[in-house]
Amino acid sequence: VQLVESGGGLVQTGGSLRLSCAVSGFGFRDYSIGWFRQRPGKEREAVSCISNGDDVTYYSAFAKGRFTISSDSPKNTILQMNSLKPEDTAVYFCAATWSVTTLTAPHDYDYWGQGTQVIVSS
């Protein structure tokens, strides 16, 4: 299984970025896919997660109203990030695992991408 993130970069406060996660070799019918981030000196935290097994889409408190996750298949997941703030600066990872429900803890995920850097300047 391979996950590759793209779309990170440098953006000004209030700007937008669209992160993509391409997944290959994932043969499970049911899946949970999540976006996580790790800010400097902080633990990895969930941003948004989605599963094809239930109707639950999870957004962290800081992501609600600004970020949108979409996934039409386990092969392609998008995280649209709007109204970005300097505190959103982090390495963003996508992760995938077999599941019939939406999982939100990093330790629940088996497969990870290498991450993409997002820098929001003030």
Side-chain angles (χ1 to χ4, degrees):
V1 180
Q2 185 176 20
L3 291 79
V4 179
E5 304 96 336
S6 61
L10 174 64
V11 65
Q12 291 184 334
T13 296
S16 297
L17 284 174
R18 181 180 173 91
L19 304 184
S20 297
C21 178
V23 182
S24 59
F26 191 83
F28 301 114
R29 184 189 68 181
D30 300 309
Y31 59 88
S32 181
I33 289 183
W35 283 96
F36 296 81
R37 74 182 188 184
Q38 190 158 16
R39 295 180 290 170
K42 303 290 187 180
E43 292 188 353
R44 195 168 296 188
E45 59 184 347
V47 177
S48 182
C49 306
I50 192 169
S51 168
N52 70 330
D54 58 22
D55 290 330
V56 175
T57 300
Y58 170 81
Y59 291 99
S60 65
F62 62 78
K64 284 181 180 177
R66 300 190 298 132
F67 297 178
T68 304
I69 190 172
S70 60
S71 180
D72 56 2
S73 77
K75 295 183 179 180
N76 183 35
T77 301
I78 303 295
L79 182 69
Q80 178 67 42
M81 304 190 297
N82 299 326
S83 302
L84 284 163
K85 306 174 182 180
E87 52 264 42
D88 294 318
T89 294
V91 178
Y92 284 73
F93 300 88
C94 70
T97 195
W98 172 87
S99 179
V100 295
T101 59
T102 301
L103 303 176
T104 62
H107 65 255
D108 288 328
Y109 284 80
D110 295 313
Y111 306 103
W112 291 83
Q114 81 290 347
T116 185
Q117 178 73 57
V118 170
I119 299 174
V120 184
S121 63
S122 57

